[in-house]
Amino acid sequence: MITINDIAEQAGVSRTTVSRVINNTGYVSEKARKRVMDVIGETGYVPSQHAKSLRTKKTKIIGVILPKISTDTSSRTVNGMTEVFEAIGYQILLTSTNLDSEKELEHLKLLQNRQVDGIILIATNTSQALLDEIKASKVPVVLVGQQMAGVPSVTFDDYAAARHMTTLMIEKGHKHIGYIGVDEADRSVGVLRKQGYLDVMTEHGLHIEDAWIQQGDFSIDSGYDAMKRMMHESAGSLDGVFAATDRMALGAWRYIKQQGLSIPGDIAIVGIGSSETSRFIDPAMTTIEYAHAQAGAAAAEIILQILEEDKEISDKKVLDFTLVERDSL
Amino acid sequence: MITINDIAEQAGVSRTTVSRVINNTGYVSEKARKRVMDVIGETGYVPSQHAKSLRTKKTKIIGVILPKISTDTSSRTVNGMTEVFEAIGYQILLTSTNLDSEKELEHLKLLQNRQVDGIILIATNTSQALLDEIKASKVPVVLVGQQMAGVPSVTFDDYAAARHMTTLMIEKGHKHIGYIGVDEADRSVGVLRKQGYLDVMTEHGLHIEDAWIQQGDFSIDSGYDAMKRMMHESAGSLDGVFAATDRMALGAWRYIKQQGLSIPGDIAIVGIGSSETSRFIDPAMTTIEYAHAQAGAAAAEIILQILEEDKEISDKKVLDFTLVERDSL
DNA sequence: CTGAAAGCGCTTACAG
DNA sequence: CTGAAAGCGCTTACAG
């Protein structure tokens, strides 16, 4: 392996000088700089990041913790971050918790040991343990998807989105609207979206049967099962279903189709997420689109600001949503 | 920051001894080990990976180069790798080329500077420049999706898969079969799949109009456009289309539906890839499934063998495919 | 069973 | 404008 010493020797300067030209810092005579550059060019020398990190305590690596790597949401978010980071030479160290929230804690620790400069956590819950770990973190953490006191984050306006969608359903003449949600440990998806639905229903004086509120686990199959339960247990007047995510809506869609019912004639079905599949099914699903790439980019920018400008930031950036009206409502 | 020196001091031993207990190497008396462990427990000390890497030249980080992060294929592949790596404490440094093959070279260099232990490259072409860079690499590289002389790889049997699908179409009574492919710089997708189609057609003495062979660029829209061109330029007897990827097949499907044609009644349409969407559209698409997660896992295992067992491996692992028969053929 | 010492490849005051 | 030297936090022969 070729080191800074080799370059210094071949260029006939000290390694201090070599370091200066590499990092473009301090004064170096044009002559010396050129000699060093030439030798670097000839040898193809690249500085050891480890040695450098050991000294400077900086790595230019950002740890990213995802709930699951193979989802539309994750990959779009990471994509957005990548664009921002790549331009300035940062790289991403990726870990996935595979939906195991214990692992969020574990990975948070792991990444710090790796001496990443910062961590972006696509969070699925807001537990106290998680908050504690974040507060204790030696490196800045920014949250995506959830908000926590004193922690910078970028989220979508889940409550407003759910309100908007529910209102739209009512405006279109639906009155007996069911809801497929997720566990409330997930504040954004589990609590806020549901609350939006509940509040709008109440404000319109609309009754909600117990059977109309079901819970899934984000998977397509769980949406299918939830829909099935809802139909079986319901008194029968159901004319619309709002699922907290497109994947669960897709499962519900599937069950309804299998029953030979018409969408939206018999039952309207809508989701949130704007997945690719939701666009191609028949009827194409009305949904709400979140700009995940933009969220990723925003998170990247926040962490960069903290790192490079050494700012104390605890911004909570809330991104807007856009309604995608198609044919299932 | 708390270091090995602090631990040594508090435990009343030398840092040599601390290092020994951390790494479970050499002799340490039970008493000393316990004291050290206790102090580590109390302090929450974690060794600096950089210092360690600087000495050992190992990082336990694998660089992964993807063509595009937000695709089904990529995320499934990465998922498969993650499972293997996670179990033994390796992590993944992810970079995406965003379909820019220049960047494959660039990232190959970049990752080496990051001192990754190895690189997994999800390749989209087999250019000489790429091969040269791989050969010159200081760390082992394993290829996914393409084969190159002397480089370990895991691929799918694209030629056999295309043959299989084309044969099936013919058996189902289709004779006028078009093909939507991609650029031939991509040997696996561009050349082998097309060759499978061509050979089977020839063997059955089936004629192929010029207009029946079109090219896309992997995107849904390009499949749509290719299908449109095919229909416009064709003499009219077309009764089936085989697209090299599900996404392009999806685009083609869309165009055919828009024309009010029946699938597979008027035209059958099939793809390769088994994307989620292909399962939910109407009619559900017949396709070929590749076990991407398994490919990722296989690649991870190969690189681990090279790294941990110090073997010289240039295995070419070829994974099988499975036909997913649905309703579009 | 244990420790002193050298060294991994850098950067950064400090002195000139 | 330049260099000698210290030091970042580890591991690993070597000697005892």
Short mmCIF file of all heavy atoms in Angstrom, two decimals, chain B residues 94-150:
data_model
loop_
_atom_site.label_atom_id
_atom_site.label_comp_id
_atom_site.label_asym_id
_atom_site.label_seq_id
_atom_site.Cartn_x
_atom_site.Cartn_y
_atom_site.Cartn_z
N LEU B 94 -23.47 1.49 0.80
CA LEU B 94 -24.24 1.42 -0.43
C LEU B 94 -23.96 2.60 -1.36
O LEU B 94 -23.93 3.74 -0.92
CB LEU B 94 -25.72 1.45 -0.06
CG LEU B 94 -26.66 0.81 -1.04
CD1 LEU B 94 -26.48 -0.69 -0.99
CD2 LEU B 94 -28.09 1.18 -0.69
N THR B 95 -23.78 2.31 -2.64
CA THR B 95 -23.71 3.40 -3.60
C THR B 95 -24.58 3.03 -4.80
O THR B 95 -24.72 1.88 -5.13
CB THR B 95 -22.28 3.65 -4.11
OG1 THR B 95 -21.83 2.46 -4.77
CG2 THR B 95 -21.35 3.97 -2.98
N SER B 96 -25.13 4.04 -5.41
CA SER B 96 -25.98 3.80 -6.57
C SER B 96 -25.42 4.55 -7.76
O SER B 96 -24.96 5.69 -7.65
CB SER B 96 -27.39 4.26 -6.26
OG SER B 96 -28.08 4.52 -7.45
N THR B 97 -25.45 3.91 -8.90
CA THR B 97 -24.92 4.56 -10.11
C THR B 97 -26.03 5.26 -10.87
O THR B 97 -25.76 5.97 -11.84
CB THR B 97 -24.30 3.53 -11.05
OG1 THR B 97 -25.32 2.63 -11.49
CG2 THR B 97 -23.22 2.75 -10.36
N ASN B 98 -27.26 5.03 -10.44
CA ASN B 98 -28.38 5.59 -11.17
C ASN B 98 -28.31 5.34 -12.65
O ASN B 98 -28.53 6.24 -13.47
CB ASN B 98 -28.48 7.09 -10.89
CG ASN B 98 -29.68 7.38 -10.03
OD1 ASN B 98 -30.77 6.89 -10.33
ND2 ASN B 98 -29.48 8.13 -8.97
N LEU B 99 -27.98 4.10 -12.97
CA LEU B 99 -28.00 3.67 -14.37
C LEU B 99 -26.91 4.31 -15.23
O LEU B 99 -26.96 4.21 -16.45
CB LEU B 99 -29.38 3.96 -14.98
CG LEU B 99 -30.37 2.80 -15.08
CD1 LEU B 99 -30.01 1.66 -14.16
CD2 LEU B 99 -31.79 3.24 -14.82
N ASP B 100 -25.99 4.99 -14.60
CA ASP B 100 -24.91 5.61 -15.35
C ASP B 100 -23.68 4.71 -15.26
O ASP B 100 -23.03 4.60 -14.23
CB ASP B 100 -24.62 6.98 -14.72
CG ASP B 100 -23.43 7.67 -15.36
OD1 ASP B 100 -22.75 7.03 -16.19
OD2 ASP B 100 -23.19 8.83 -15.03
N SER B 101 -23.34 4.06 -16.39
CA SER B 101 -22.32 3.02 -16.29
C SER B 101 -20.91 3.59 -16.08
O SER B 101 -20.01 2.92 -15.63
CB SER B 101 -22.36 2.08 -17.49
OG SER B 101 -22.11 2.80 -18.66
N GLU B 102 -20.74 4.86 -16.40
CA GLU B 102 -19.49 5.54 -16.06
C GLU B 102 -19.25 5.44 -14.54
O GLU B 102 -18.14 5.25 -14.07
CB GLU B 102 -19.58 7.05 -16.38
CG GLU B 102 -19.64 7.39 -17.83
CD GLU B 102 -18.26 7.42 -18.44
OE1 GLU B 102 -17.41 8.15 -17.90
OE2 GLU B 102 -18.03 6.69 -19.43
N LYS B 103 -20.33 5.58 -13.84
CA LYS B 103 -20.24 5.65 -12.39
C LYS B 103 -19.87 4.32 -11.77
O LYS B 103 -19.41 4.26 -10.64
CB LYS B 103 -21.57 6.14 -11.80
CG LYS B 103 -21.76 7.63 -11.95
CD LYS B 103 -22.73 8.16 -10.92
CE LYS B 103 -22.77 9.68 -10.96
NZ LYS B 103 -23.90 10.19 -10.17
N GLU B 104 -20.07 3.24 -12.50
CA GLU B 104 -19.67 1.96 -11.96
C GLU B 104 -18.17 1.97 -11.71
O GLU B 104 -17.68 1.53 -10.67
CB GLU B 104 -20.04 0.83 -12.93
CG GLU B 104 -21.52 0.53 -12.92
CD GLU B 104 -21.91 -0.61 -13.85
OE1 GLU B 104 -21.06 -1.05 -14.65
OE2 GLU B 104 -23.06 -1.06 -13.78
N LEU B 105 -17.45 2.50 -12.67
CA LEU B 105 -16.00 2.61 -12.54
C LEU B 105 -15.62 3.51 -11.37
O LEU B 105 -14.80 3.15 -10.52
CB LEU B 105 -15.40 3.19 -13.82
CG LEU B 105 -15.42 2.27 -15.03
CD1 LEU B 105 -14.95 3.01 -16.28
CD2 LEU B 105 -14.50 1.08 -14.76
N GLU B 106 -16.24 4.67 -11.37
CA GLU B 106 -15.98 5.68 -10.36
C GLU B 106 -16.20 5.12 -8.94
O GLU B 106 -15.36 5.26 -8.06
CB GLU B 106 -16.94 6.83 -10.62
CG GLU B 106 -16.55 8.17 -10.10
CD GLU B 106 -17.61 9.17 -10.54
OE1 GLU B 106 -17.73 9.44 -11.76
OE2 GLU B 106 -18.34 9.65 -9.66
N HIS B 107 -17.32 4.46 -8.77
CA HIS B 107 -17.66 3.93 -7.45
C HIS B 107 -16.75 2.78 -7.05
O HIS B 107 -16.46 2.58 -5.89
CB HIS B 107 -19.13 3.50 -7.42
CG HIS B 107 -20.06 4.67 -7.38
ND1 HIS B 107 -21.41 4.53 -7.21
CD2 HIS B 107 -19.83 5.99 -7.46
CE1 HIS B 107 -21.97 5.73 -7.22
NE2 HIS B 107 -21.03 6.62 -7.38
N LEU B 108 -16.31 2.06 -8.03
CA LEU B 108 -15.40 0.96 -7.77
C LEU B 108 -14.13 1.54 -7.12
O LEU B 108 -13.60 1.00 -6.14
CB LEU B 108 -15.06 0.27 -9.09
CG LEU B 108 -14.92 -1.24 -9.15
CD1 LEU B 108 -15.93 -1.95 -8.29
CD2 LEU B 108 -15.04 -1.71 -10.59
N LYS B 109 -13.69 2.64 -7.64
CA LYS B 109 -12.49 3.29 -7.07
C LYS B 109 -12.79 3.88 -5.70
O LYS B 109 -12.04 3.71 -4.75
CB LYS B 109 -12.01 4.41 -8.00
CG LYS B 109 -11.32 3.88 -9.23
CD LYS B 109 -10.73 5.01 -10.06
CE LYS B 109 -10.36 4.47 -11.43
NZ LYS B 109 -9.89 5.50 -12.35
N LEU B 110 -13.90 4.60 -5.65
CA LEU B 110 -14.30 5.25 -4.42
C LEU B 110 -14.35 4.27 -3.25
O LEU B 110 -13.83 4.54 -2.17
CB LEU B 110 -15.70 5.83 -4.60
CG LEU B 110 -15.81 7.34 -4.54
CD1 LEU B 110 -17.19 7.79 -4.94
CD2 LEU B 110 -15.46 7.84 -3.15
N LEU B 111 -14.95 3.15 -3.48
CA LEU B 111 -15.13 2.18 -2.40
C LEU B 111 -13.80 1.64 -1.92
O LEU B 111 -13.62 1.38 -0.74
CB LEU B 111 -16.03 1.04 -2.86
CG LEU B 111 -17.51 1.40 -2.92
CD1 LEU B 111 -18.33 0.25 -3.47
CD2 LEU B 111 -18.02 1.77 -1.53
N GLN B 112 -12.88 1.47 -2.83
CA GLN B 112 -11.58 0.97 -2.39
C GLN B 112 -10.90 1.96 -1.46
O GLN B 112 -10.25 1.58 -0.50
CB GLN B 112 -10.71 0.67 -3.60
CG GLN B 112 -11.23 -0.50 -4.39
CD GLN B 112 -10.44 -0.73 -5.66
OE1 GLN B 112 -10.90 -0.45 -6.75
NE2 GLN B 112 -9.23 -1.20 -5.50
N ASN B 113 -11.06 3.23 -1.76
CA ASN B 113 -10.48 4.24 -0.89
C ASN B 113 -11.11 4.21 0.49
O ASN B 113 -10.49 4.56 1.48
CB ASN B 113 -10.71 5.64 -1.46
CG ASN B 113 -10.17 5.75 -2.86
OD1 ASN B 113 -9.53 4.81 -3.34
ND2 ASN B 113 -10.41 6.85 -3.49
N ARG B 114 -12.35 3.81 0.50
CA ARG B 114 -13.03 3.71 1.78
C ARG B 114 -12.56 2.49 2.54
O ARG B 114 -13.04 2.19 3.61
CB ARG B 114 -14.55 3.60 1.57
CG ARG B 114 -15.20 4.87 1.14
CD ARG B 114 -15.14 5.89 2.25
NE ARG B 114 -15.96 7.05 1.91
CZ ARG B 114 -16.07 8.10 2.70
NH1 ARG B 114 -15.43 8.15 3.84
NH2 ARG B 114 -16.82 9.11 2.34
N GLN B 115 -11.65 1.77 1.91
CA GLN B 115 -11.12 0.58 2.55
C GLN B 115 -12.21 -0.41 2.95
O GLN B 115 -12.24 -0.92 4.05
CB GLN B 115 -10.31 0.97 3.79
CG GLN B 115 -8.82 0.96 3.55
CD GLN B 115 -8.32 2.32 3.07
OE1 GLN B 115 -8.80 3.35 3.53
NE2 GLN B 115 -7.38 2.32 2.17
N VAL B 116 -13.09 -0.65 2.02
CA VAL B 116 -14.02 -1.74 2.26
C VAL B 116 -13.27 -3.05 2.09
O VAL B 116 -12.26 -3.11 1.40
CB VAL B 116 -15.23 -1.69 1.30
CG1 VAL B 116 -16.02 -0.42 1.51
CG2 VAL B 116 -14.77 -1.79 -0.15
N ASP B 117 -13.77 -4.09 2.72
CA ASP B 117 -13.09 -5.38 2.62
C ASP B 117 -13.37 -6.07 1.29
O ASP B 117 -12.58 -6.89 0.82
CB ASP B 117 -13.55 -6.32 3.74
CG ASP B 117 -12.98 -5.92 5.09
OD1 ASP B 117 -12.11 -5.03 5.12
OD2 ASP B 117 -13.39 -6.50 6.11
N GLY B 118 -14.50 -5.74 0.72
CA GLY B 118 -14.86 -6.35 -0.55
C GLY B 118 -15.96 -5.56 -1.21
O GLY B 118 -16.55 -4.67 -0.59
N ILE B 119 -16.21 -5.86 -2.47
CA ILE B 119 -17.22 -5.13 -3.22
C ILE B 119 -18.15 -6.09 -3.94
O ILE B 119 -17.70 -7.05 -4.56
CB ILE B 119 -16.55 -4.19 -4.26
CG1 ILE B 119 -15.70 -3.12 -3.53
CG2 ILE B 119 -17.59 -3.55 -5.16
CD1 ILE B 119 -14.93 -2.22 -4.47
N ILE B 120 -19.44 -5.83 -3.82
CA ILE B 120 -20.41 -6.55 -4.62
C ILE B 120 -20.98 -5.58 -5.63
O ILE B 120 -21.49 -4.52 -5.27
CB ILE B 120 -21.55 -7.13 -3.76
CG1 ILE B 120 -20.98 -8.19 -2.80
CG2 ILE B 120 -22.62 -7.76 -4.64
CD1 ILE B 120 -22.02 -8.81 -1.88
N LEU B 121 -20.84 -5.94 -6.88
CA LEU B 121 -21.26 -5.05 -7.95
C LEU B 121 -22.44 -5.65 -8.70
O LEU B 121 -22.31 -6.70 -9.33
CB LEU B 121 -20.08 -4.82 -8.90
CG LEU B 121 -20.33 -4.10 -10.22
CD1 LEU B 121 -20.88 -2.71 -10.00
CD2 LEU B 121 -19.04 -4.02 -11.04
N ILE B 122 -23.58 -5.00 -8.60
CA ILE B 122 -24.73 -5.41 -9.40
C ILE B 122 -24.53 -4.76 -10.75
O ILE B 122 -24.79 -3.56 -10.91
CB ILE B 122 -26.06 -4.93 -8.79
CG1 ILE B 122 -26.04 -5.01 -7.28
CG2 ILE B 122 -27.24 -5.69 -9.39
CD1 ILE B 122 -26.23 -6.35 -6.70
N ALA B 123 -24.03 -5.53 -11.68
CA ALA B 123 -23.54 -4.93 -12.92
C ALA B 123 -24.61 -4.88 -13.99
O ALA B 123 -25.51 -5.71 -14.05
CB ALA B 123 -22.34 -5.72 -13.42
N THR B 124 -24.46 -3.90 -14.87
CA THR B 124 -25.41 -3.77 -15.98
C THR B 124 -24.70 -3.90 -17.32
O THR B 124 -25.33 -3.85 -18.35
CB THR B 124 -26.09 -2.39 -15.95
OG1 THR B 124 -25.07 -1.39 -16.10
CG2 THR B 124 -26.81 -2.17 -14.65
N ASN B 125 -23.40 -4.04 -17.26
CA ASN B 125 -22.69 -4.24 -18.53
C ASN B 125 -21.39 -5.00 -18.28
O ASN B 125 -21.02 -5.27 -17.13
CB ASN B 125 -22.39 -2.90 -19.18
CG ASN B 125 -21.34 -2.14 -18.42
OD1 ASN B 125 -21.61 -1.59 -17.37
ND2 ASN B 125 -20.13 -2.13 -18.91
N THR B 126 -20.72 -5.31 -19.35
CA THR B 126 -19.51 -6.13 -19.21
C THR B 126 -18.37 -5.51 -20.01
O THR B 126 -17.63 -6.20 -20.69
CB THR B 126 -19.77 -7.55 -19.72
OG1 THR B 126 -20.29 -7.47 -21.05
CG2 THR B 126 -20.77 -8.27 -18.85
N SER B 127 -18.28 -4.20 -19.95
CA SER B 127 -17.28 -3.50 -20.75
C SER B 127 -15.86 -3.86 -20.31
O SER B 127 -15.62 -4.25 -19.17
CB SER B 127 -17.47 -1.99 -20.62
OG SER B 127 -17.06 -1.57 -19.34
N GLN B 128 -14.94 -3.68 -21.22
CA GLN B 128 -13.54 -3.98 -20.95
C GLN B 128 -13.01 -3.08 -19.83
O GLN B 128 -12.27 -3.52 -18.96
CB GLN B 128 -12.72 -3.78 -22.23
CG GLN B 128 -11.26 -4.20 -22.10
CD GLN B 128 -11.11 -5.69 -21.74
OE1 GLN B 128 -11.87 -6.51 -22.25
NE2 GLN B 128 -10.19 -6.02 -20.86
N ALA B 129 -13.42 -1.84 -19.85
CA ALA B 129 -12.97 -0.88 -18.83
C ALA B 129 -13.37 -1.38 -17.44
O ALA B 129 -12.58 -1.30 -16.49
CB ALA B 129 -13.59 0.49 -19.09
N LEU B 130 -14.56 -1.90 -17.35
CA LEU B 130 -15.04 -2.40 -16.07
C LEU B 130 -14.22 -3.61 -15.64
O LEU B 130 -13.78 -3.71 -14.49
CB LEU B 130 -16.52 -2.78 -16.19
CG LEU B 130 -17.25 -3.10 -14.89
CD1 LEU B 130 -17.20 -1.92 -13.94
CD2 LEU B 130 -18.69 -3.49 -15.16
N LEU B 131 -13.99 -4.50 -16.58
CA LEU B 131 -13.20 -5.69 -16.28
C LEU B 131 -11.80 -5.29 -15.80
O LEU B 131 -11.29 -5.83 -14.81
CB LEU B 131 -13.10 -6.59 -17.51
CG LEU B 131 -12.32 -7.90 -17.33
CD1 LEU B 131 -12.88 -8.72 -16.17
CD2 LEU B 131 -12.31 -8.73 -18.60
N ASP B 132 -11.20 -4.34 -16.48
CA ASP B 132 -9.87 -3.88 -16.10
C ASP B 132 -9.86 -3.36 -14.67
O ASP B 132 -8.98 -3.67 -13.88
CB ASP B 132 -9.40 -2.76 -17.04
CG ASP B 132 -9.10 -3.29 -18.45
OD1 ASP B 132 -9.00 -4.53 -18.59
OD2 ASP B 132 -9.00 -2.49 -19.37
N GLU B 133 -10.86 -2.56 -14.37
CA GLU B 133 -10.92 -1.97 -13.04
C GLU B 133 -11.11 -3.06 -11.97
O GLU B 133 -10.53 -2.98 -10.88
CB GLU B 133 -12.07 -0.96 -12.97
CG GLU B 133 -12.12 -0.14 -11.70
CD GLU B 133 -10.92 0.77 -11.50
OE1 GLU B 133 -10.41 1.31 -12.51
OE2 GLU B 133 -10.46 0.93 -10.34
N ILE B 134 -11.90 -4.04 -12.29
CA ILE B 134 -12.12 -5.14 -11.35
C ILE B 134 -10.83 -5.92 -11.13
O ILE B 134 -10.46 -6.26 -10.00
CB ILE B 134 -13.23 -6.08 -11.87
CG1 ILE B 134 -14.58 -5.36 -11.82
CG2 ILE B 134 -13.28 -7.36 -11.05
CD1 ILE B 134 -15.72 -6.13 -12.45
N LYS B 135 -10.14 -6.18 -12.21
CA LYS B 135 -8.88 -6.92 -12.11
C LYS B 135 -7.87 -6.14 -11.28
O LYS B 135 -7.05 -6.71 -10.57
CB LYS B 135 -8.29 -7.17 -13.51
CG LYS B 135 -9.14 -8.06 -14.40
CD LYS B 135 -8.96 -9.53 -14.05
CE LYS B 135 -9.69 -10.40 -15.07
NZ LYS B 135 -9.83 -11.79 -14.64
N ALA B 136 -7.93 -4.84 -11.40
CA ALA B 136 -6.95 -3.99 -10.71
C ALA B 136 -7.33 -3.77 -9.24
O ALA B 136 -6.53 -3.27 -8.46
CB ALA B 136 -6.84 -2.65 -11.43
N SER B 137 -8.53 -4.18 -8.89
CA SER B 137 -9.01 -3.88 -7.55
C SER B 137 -8.18 -4.56 -6.46
O SER B 137 -7.80 -5.72 -6.58
CB SER B 137 -10.47 -4.33 -7.42
OG SER B 137 -10.88 -4.22 -6.07
N LYS B 138 -7.93 -3.81 -5.43
CA LYS B 138 -7.16 -4.34 -4.30
C LYS B 138 -7.99 -5.29 -3.45
O LYS B 138 -7.48 -6.13 -2.74
CB LYS B 138 -6.66 -3.18 -3.42
CG LYS B 138 -5.52 -2.40 -4.02
CD LYS B 138 -5.34 -1.07 -3.30
CE LYS B 138 -6.34 -0.05 -3.82
NZ LYS B 138 -6.16 1.31 -3.26
N VAL B 139 -9.32 -5.09 -3.50
CA VAL B 139 -10.19 -5.94 -2.70
C VAL B 139 -11.01 -6.83 -3.62
O VAL B 139 -11.25 -6.49 -4.78
CB VAL B 139 -11.13 -5.10 -1.81
CG1 VAL B 139 -10.33 -4.19 -0.91
CG2 VAL B 139 -12.10 -4.31 -2.65
N PRO B 140 -11.45 -7.98 -3.13
CA PRO B 140 -12.23 -8.88 -3.97
C PRO B 140 -13.54 -8.26 -4.43
O PRO B 140 -14.18 -7.53 -3.69
CB PRO B 140 -12.49 -10.08 -3.06
CG PRO B 140 -12.16 -9.64 -1.69
CD PRO B 140 -11.18 -8.55 -1.80
N VAL B 141 -13.89 -8.57 -5.66
CA VAL B 141 -15.14 -8.07 -6.23
C VAL B 141 -15.97 -9.27 -6.64
O VAL B 141 -15.46 -10.19 -7.25
CB VAL B 141 -14.87 -7.21 -7.48
CG1 VAL B 141 -16.17 -6.80 -8.14
CG2 VAL B 141 -14.04 -5.99 -7.12
N VAL B 142 -17.24 -9.28 -6.28
CA VAL B 142 -18.11 -10.29 -6.88
C VAL B 142 -19.25 -9.61 -7.60
O VAL B 142 -19.77 -8.59 -7.18
CB VAL B 142 -18.56 -11.44 -5.91
CG1 VAL B 142 -18.01 -11.31 -4.54
CG2 VAL B 142 -20.03 -11.67 -5.95
N LEU B 143 -19.54 -10.19 -8.73
CA LEU B 143 -20.50 -9.63 -9.66
C LEU B 143 -21.86 -10.28 -9.47
O LEU B 143 -21.95 -11.47 -9.26
CB LEU B 143 -20.02 -9.96 -11.07
CG LEU B 143 -19.76 -8.88 -12.10
CD1 LEU B 143 -19.06 -7.68 -11.49
CD2 LEU B 143 -18.93 -9.46 -13.23
N VAL B 144 -22.90 -9.47 -9.59
CA VAL B 144 -24.24 -10.04 -9.61
C VAL B 144 -24.91 -9.61 -10.90
O VAL B 144 -24.87 -8.44 -11.26
CB VAL B 144 -25.08 -9.58 -8.40
CG1 VAL B 144 -26.51 -10.07 -8.52
CG2 VAL B 144 -24.46 -10.06 -7.11
N GLY B 145 -25.48 -10.55 -11.60
CA GLY B 145 -26.27 -10.21 -12.79
C GLY B 145 -25.53 -10.29 -14.11
O GLY B 145 -26.16 -10.32 -15.16
N GLN B 146 -24.20 -10.30 -14.04
CA GLN B 146 -23.42 -10.42 -15.27
C GLN B 146 -22.25 -11.36 -15.00
O GLN B 146 -21.80 -11.48 -13.86
CB GLN B 146 -22.85 -9.07 -15.71
CG GLN B 146 -23.86 -7.97 -15.90
CD GLN B 146 -24.63 -8.06 -17.21
OE1 GLN B 146 -24.25 -8.78 -18.13
NE2 GLN B 146 -25.76 -7.35 -17.28
N GLN B 147 -21.76 -11.97 -16.05
CA GLN B 147 -20.57 -12.80 -15.91
C GLN B 147 -19.38 -12.16 -16.63
O GLN B 147 -19.55 -11.54 -17.67
CB GLN B 147 -20.81 -14.17 -16.54
CG GLN B 147 -21.84 -15.00 -15.81
CD GLN B 147 -21.85 -16.45 -16.29
OE1 GLN B 147 -22.60 -17.28 -15.79
NE2 GLN B 147 -21.00 -16.75 -17.26
N MET B 148 -18.22 -12.33 -16.02
CA MET B 148 -17.00 -11.86 -16.68
C MET B 148 -15.89 -12.87 -16.41
O MET B 148 -15.85 -13.47 -15.34
CB MET B 148 -16.60 -10.49 -16.14
CG MET B 148 -17.57 -9.40 -16.56
SD MET B 148 -17.19 -7.80 -15.84
CE MET B 148 -16.11 -7.14 -17.07
N ALA B 149 -15.01 -13.00 -17.38
CA ALA B 149 -13.96 -14.00 -17.28
C ALA B 149 -13.12 -13.83 -16.02
O ALA B 149 -12.61 -12.75 -15.74
CB ALA B 149 -13.04 -13.92 -18.51
N GLY B 150 -13.04 -14.88 -15.24
CA GLY B 150 -12.16 -14.87 -14.08
C GLY B 150 -12.69 -14.13 -12.87
O GLY B 150 -12.01 -13.98 -11.87
#
